């Protein structure tokens, strides 16, 4: 087994009396695609928001094994999680910078590196070579991800003017430009047609193979989940009801019950 | 046609109902005390005008859209900018440019500079700041007080005023950090008023409503613009062998604010292409996405507030040295509103748009002073028309700050 990248232990997130995530534990491996599935309202997006720091859980621990040491994500601010722990994410309802160009979206993603290279923009203000070199490198990285997501010819267009499927890919490219260790994708296949969905599968498999990072994925599209994930975690009402390989989870009676409902006792009995 | 008539009748009725309490009655001070007198002719006029206007609007075809600019216009923009800058440099030497023209141009330039400063906060970072005039006031009072208390020259005070205003911007930025959108506007508006009220009431320091007068005028590398230079200084006219003229100082002040404004513009154009500037724009677009990319919104917002305030501080100390007299009355909410209107009308983020809007909003009312109070009517009308024609501002087109193949 590959060493774990993300350890979630006894995570609980309550909103008032509602347990959105209830005593949840699982691990996600390095170089693996871990899918989180479950019916609507099962707490998948809440889990994502806890991992990426947008929510602070009441109980439990979220640890990321980073070369710089183990990081307790529940204690970091959202932007620090992205910057220091290297956790990037996409959103269920795409969040691009719509009035900025596609390329600018990818350059903004490299903000941290560029800020350091430009000494908080001072070097850039003075036009030092050091900053120009860093910016050229950032453009090259952006070009790399534009090529991988087949968006190169849209590079100078406004991000908001792209078709929906392109925007989804751009959001993934933007997240990858931060050079993450863990990429969290919230329903990346939502709204995609079957062909785009198949392209997405290939892109995610390529990312796993080439970058060796961990991918955490919320998905409803079973062709994506079953086709590419190494492990599947199934949530229902905030609790984990099953975990395992796609094949194991598919046959699990608890999962079938959660998705299809309880068999009607009166009718069967 | 009957629909148009019905619609216009309805509008006329609404106008009559509104006009009745507002125009229709008047308090008359007579020997027996106060009494009410009717002015129903005015009500009839108002209702009639609205009815006729509405009918006209319904009958004539809708306003033609503004001519669409040719696609190549984007590339013309730098050229237009250079042409404007060249015109601004030559302006004082043009035959029609008397003292009055240069003086008004100076005023317009102050607002252009303020607009460019506020553009960083509102246009780029998307933080709706309704209290910008506070930083302008801090700059003005910084210069006036430093110069009067410590005898520092304008050239020493200018950077100091910038620093003080910027620190003030950071300070006022903190309470605003957690807020979004309209709430920022309300809080900054309040902060702006607080600053004015403090200036008005802190008699010992600011002189209260009497303000500060006799503020030192700037010199050019030690050359005074006074008719009789102070001891140890030479006068500008003497040094260049000219006859003394009051115009020299007016032209000097004009060039001073031109340089300050152009520096603001250069800074903004430059910083838009740097990580900080791009982070400002990204923050305007989507704060949550920014955070997911590791951008700390706190530092981004504070830097925008601080830098915007710094330019307002520069403009403020220029204002103080030009007027020679400042009082809290120069820093009312109306000023903030005008500066914000310049930025919004110019097209949120467009540098040239701000120049056009400042000419329109500050220049035109100044030139049409003869029209007296009607100029404010024209001012309001112009704003409504612009918002009808160009809801996103005069120049709302945005050029990317970087292109895949080479710089833009």
């Amino acid at each position: 087994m590959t060493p774990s990248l993300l350890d979630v232990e006894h995570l609980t997130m309550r909103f008032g009396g509602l347990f959105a995530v209830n005593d949840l534990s699982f691990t996600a491996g390095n170089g693996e695609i871990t899918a989180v599935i479950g019916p609507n309202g099962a707490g998948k997006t809440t889990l994502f928001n806890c991992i990426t720091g947008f929510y602070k859980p009441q109980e439990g621990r979220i640890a990321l094994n980073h070369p710089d040491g183990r990081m307790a994500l529940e204690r970091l601010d959202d932007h620090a999680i992205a910057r220091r722990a290297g956790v990037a994410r996409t959103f269920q309802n795409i969040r691009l910078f719509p009035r900025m160009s596609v390329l600018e979206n990818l350059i903004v993603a490299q903000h941290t590196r560029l800020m350091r290279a430009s000494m908080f923009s001072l070097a850039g203000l003075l036009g030092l070579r050091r900053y120009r070199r860093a910016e050229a490198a950032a453009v090259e990285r952006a070009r790399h991800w534009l090529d991988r997501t087949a968006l190169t010819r849209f590079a100078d267009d406004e991000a908001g003017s792209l078709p929906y499927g392109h925007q989804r890919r751009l959001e993934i490219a933007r997240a990858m430009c931060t050079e993450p260790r863990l990429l969290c994708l919230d329903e990346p296949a939502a709204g995609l047609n079957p062909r785009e969905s198949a392209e997405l599968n290939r892109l995610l498999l390529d990312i796993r193979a080439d970058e060796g990072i961990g991918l955490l994925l919320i998905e409803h599209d079973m062709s994506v989940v079953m086709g590419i994930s190494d492990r599947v975690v199934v949530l229902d009402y905030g609790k984990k009801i099953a975990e395992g390989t796609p094949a194991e989870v598919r046959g699990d009676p608890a999962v079938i019950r959660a998705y299809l409902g309880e068999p009607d006792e009166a009718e069967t009995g | 046609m009957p629909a148009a008539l019905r619609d216009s009748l309805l509008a006329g009725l609404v106008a009559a109902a509104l006009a009745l309490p507002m125009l229709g009655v008047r308090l008359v001070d007579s020997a027996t005390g106060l009494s009410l007198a009717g002015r129903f002719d005015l009500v009839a006029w108002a209702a009639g005008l609205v009815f006729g206007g509405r009918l006209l609007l319904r009958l004539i075809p809708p306003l033609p859209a503004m001519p669409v600019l040719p696609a190549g216009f984007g590339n013309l923009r730098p050229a237009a900018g250079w042409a404007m800058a060249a015109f601004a440099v030559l302006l004082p030497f043009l035959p029609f440019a008397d003292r009055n023209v240069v003086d008004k141009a100076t005023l317009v330039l102050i607002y252009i500079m303020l607009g460019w400063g506020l553009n960083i906060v509102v246009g780029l970072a998307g933080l709706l700041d309704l209290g910008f005039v506070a930083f302008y006031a801090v700059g003005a009072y910084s210069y006036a007080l430093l110069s009067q208390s410590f005898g520092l020259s304008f050239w020493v005070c200018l950077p100091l005023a910038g620093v003080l205003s910027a620190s003030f911007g950071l300070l006022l930025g903190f309470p605003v950090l957690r807020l979004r959108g309209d709430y920022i506007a309300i809080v900054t508006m309040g902060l702006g008023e607080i600053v004015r009220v403090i200036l008005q009431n802190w008699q010992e320091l600011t002189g209260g409503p009497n303000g500060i007068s006799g503020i030192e005028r700037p010199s050019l590398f030690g050359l005074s613009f006074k008719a009789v230079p102070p001891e140890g200084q030479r006068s500008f006219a003497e040094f260049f062998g000219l006859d003394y003229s009051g115009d020299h100082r007016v032209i000097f002040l004009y060039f001073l604010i031109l340089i300050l404004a152009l520096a603001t513009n250069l800074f903004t154009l430059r910083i838009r292409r740097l990580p900080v500037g791009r982070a400002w724009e990204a923050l305007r677009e989507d704060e949550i996405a920014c955070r997911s990319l590791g951008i700390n919104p706190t530092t981004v917002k504070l830097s925008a507030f601080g830098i915007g305030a710094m330019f307002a501080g520069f403009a403020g100390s220029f204002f103080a040295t030009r007027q020679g007299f400042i009082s809290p009355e120069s820093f009312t909410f109306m000023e903030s509103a005008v500066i914000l209107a310049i930025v919004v009308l110019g097209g949120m983020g467009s540098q040239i748009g701000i120049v056009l809007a400042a000419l329109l909003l500050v220049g035109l009312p100044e030139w049409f002073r003869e029209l007296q109070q009607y100029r404010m009517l024209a001012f309001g009308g112009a704003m409504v028309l612009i918002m009808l024609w160009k809801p996103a501002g005069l120049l709302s087109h945005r050029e990317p700050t970087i292109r895949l193949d080479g710089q833009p």
Side-chain angles (χ1 to χ4, degrees), chain B residues 40-401:
Chain B
F40 300 109
D41 51 333
L42 279 181
V43 178
W45 268 110
L49 273 175
V50 169
F51 170 77
R54 182 83 186 178
L55 198 62
L56 265 178
L57 273 182
R58 288 295 300 250
L59 290 185
I60 55 171
L63 288 171
M66 281 278 260
V68 179
L69 296 166
F73 184 73
N75 309 330
L76 273 177
R77 257 208 213 178
W82 283 111
M84 277 173 158
F87 177 75
V89 170
L90 293 178
L91 177 72
F93 308 112
L94 296 179
F96 63 85
D98 54 4
R99 186 182 176 136
N100 188 20
V101 168
V102 176
D103 210 39
K104 278 173 182 163
T106 308
L107 187 72
V108 172
L109 274 171
I110 294 181
Y111 280 92
I112 290 176
M113 177 161 178
L114 286 169
W116 278 339
L118 184 63
N119 188 33
I120 292 175
V121 186
V122 178
L124 296 183
L127 306 164
L128 191 53
D129 184 352
L130 276 178
F132 197 61
V133 78
F135 310 126
Y136 185 42
V138 169
Y141 274 87
S142 300
Y143 168 58
L145 292 172
L146 284 172
S147 141
Q148 295 214 323
S149 317
F150 303 107
L152 298 176
S153 85
F154 175 74
W155 297 104
V156 178
C157 290
L158 185 68
L160 284 178
V163 169
L164 278 169
S165 283
S167 356
F168 214 72
L170 294 182
L171 209 68
L172 293 194
F174 270 106
V176 175
L177 283 174
R178 305 167 156 272
L179 307 173
R180 273 160 210 257
D182 312 351
Y183 300 101
I184 296 187
I186 296 168
V187 171
T188 49
M189 186 176 149
L191 291 173
E193 280 298 284
I194 289 172
V195 167
R196 189 182 61 83
V197 170
I198 289 176
L199 291 176
Q200 189 133 30
N201 289 288
W202 196 353
Q203 286 276 357
E204 305 85 73
L205 186 73
T206 65
N210 297 331
I212 301 174
S213 53
I215 299 169
E216 187 57 38
R217 303 306 194 121
S219 57
L220 174 71
F221 300 111
L223 297 176
S224 167
F225 285 92
K226 293 194 177 106
V228 184
E231 244 172 86
Q233 273 190 25
R234 303 175 67 185
S235 86
F236 175 83
E238 185 193 345
F239 186 82
F240 287 99
L242 303 168
D243 291 331
Y244 171 79
S245 153
D247 292 358
H248 291 161
R249 179 196 286 155
V250 174
I251 292 173
F252 168 65
L253 286 172
Y254 172 80
F255 278 116
L256 182 56
I257 187 68
L258 183 63
I259 289 168
L260 285 173
L262 286 179
T264 312
N265 182 33
L266 272 182
F267 179 87
T268 309
L269 289 180
R270 188 116 216 188
I271 204 151
R272 263 195 68 203
R273 300 190 183 168
L274 292 175
V276 177
R278 294 206 184 101
W280 287 340
E281 288 200 78
L283 188 80
R284 176 193 69 201
E285 299 289 301
D286 196 323
E287 181 174 338
I288 290 180
C290 274
R291 290 196 273 165
S292 83
L293 297 173
I295 298 173
N296 184 347
T298 306
T299 51
V300 175
K301 283 183 192 173
L302 284 182
S303 61
F305 254 98
I307 291 176
M310 178 180 77
F311 288 117
F314 291 150
S317 47
F318 174 81
F319 176 76
T321 195
R322 170 183 181 248
Q323 302 293 105
F325 165 74
I326 50 171
S327 75
E329 250 172 69
S330 309
F331 308 105
T332 54
F333 170 68
M334 186 60 197
E335 295 296 308
S336 287
V338 167
I339 303 165
L340 186 70
I342 288 173
V343 175
V344 173
L345 229 52
M348 296 281 256
S350 164
Q351 298 290 95
I352 293 185
I354 286 172
V355 176
L356 297 180
L359 281 170
L360 210 67
L361 289 193
V362 183
L364 282 189
E366 280 300 316
W367 260 284
F368 290 103
R369 254 184 202 288
E370 298 80 45
L371 296 177
Q372 292 167 5
Q373 68 263 46
Y374 292 107
R375 74 202 174 105
M376 288 323 276
L377 197 69
F379 176 91
M383 274 180 90
V384 170
L385 278 181
I386 292 174
M387 283 292 121
L388 276 176
W389 266 321
K390 304 283 282 180
L394 291 172
L395 292 176
S396 54
H397 174 76
R398 178 184 177 280
E399 276 291 304
T401 59

Side-chain angles (χ1 to χ4, degrees), chain A residues 85-142:
Chain A
V87 177
R89 74 170 292 178
T90 66
F91 295 87
Q92 197 170 346
N93 34 15
I94 307 174
R95 284 184 175 274
L96 292 170
F97 305 123
R99 293 217 311 143
M100 299 175 84
S101 78
V102 169
L103 179 63
E104 282 175 311
N105 268 271
L106 301 184
I107 301 284
V108 168
Q110 304 177 52
H111 179 78
T112 310
R113 205 174 308 118
L114 285 172
M115 276 300 258
R116 215 173 290 135
S118 67
M119 297 185 284
F120 302 99
S121 294
L122 275 179
L125 214 54
L126 302 173
L128 298 190
R129 177 144 7 105
R130 173 180 168 169
Y131 172 68
R132 266 180 280 147
R133 220 180 292 137
E135 195 182 63
V139 171
E140 276 320 300
R141 189 172 291 107

